[in-house]
Amino acid sequence: MIFKRTFDQRFIHECLTQPHVWEMVRSDDTPNPKDFVPPMSDRCIWVRAGNSGLIMVIATSDTTYDIHLGLRRRVKGGCVKLLHKALIWFTEQYPDWEVLTTSVPSDNILAKGLALHFGFQIIGLDATTVVRDGKPLELTKLKLDRRT
């Protein structure tokens, strides 16, 4: 699998607006999928994972990164293998990293289990930042800290 930074907004849009991904990332203030424009900034690093989808990495500091996946459905059974390779790629590209964080909907057992499998630790719950269907969406916040 080849991992490569991408600026291809069409590919990013396609990956993030897949129904099974969009349902996990949408909130009440998210536009309609057809109107969604992926954020493009120096801090937002979009990584194409071959034809399997993409990884979004947001640099929150020089050594801390927030990481999220937008994989195609056909990858479902290969998530562990793909994420393992992606983490190796990430650590080679960003050798000074200290902390990786992520937030997943608390009812997304697959995503939470995947993060825990790779050593992320649950650091708390957040029900204040995302509203879906008029109700706060509880997010599980996770962290992988190589300093500890």
Side-chain angles (χ1 to χ4, degrees), residues 64 66 99-104 112 115-116 119-126 139-145 148:
T64 302
D66 196 46
V99 177
L100 290 178
T101 60
T102 195
S103 298
V104 299
K112 191 171 17 175
L116 292 171
F120 282 75
Q121 301 292 314
I122 295 174
I123 58 173
L125 298 175
D126 182 0
L139 299 175
T140 299
K141 299 180 82 154
L142 300 111
K143 174 172 82 169
L144 179 63
D145 191 335
T148 56

Side-chain angles (χ1 to χ4, degrees), residues 14 18 21 31 33-34 39 50 55-56 65 90 101 104-106 109-110 118 120 129 137:
E14 176 189 318
Q18 298 170 95
V21 174
K34 68 178 175 50
I55 300 152
M56 181 177 94
Y65 301 86
F90 176 83
T101 60
V104 299
S106 294
I109 296 166
L110 177 63
F118 283 99
F120 282 75
T129 58
L137 177 66

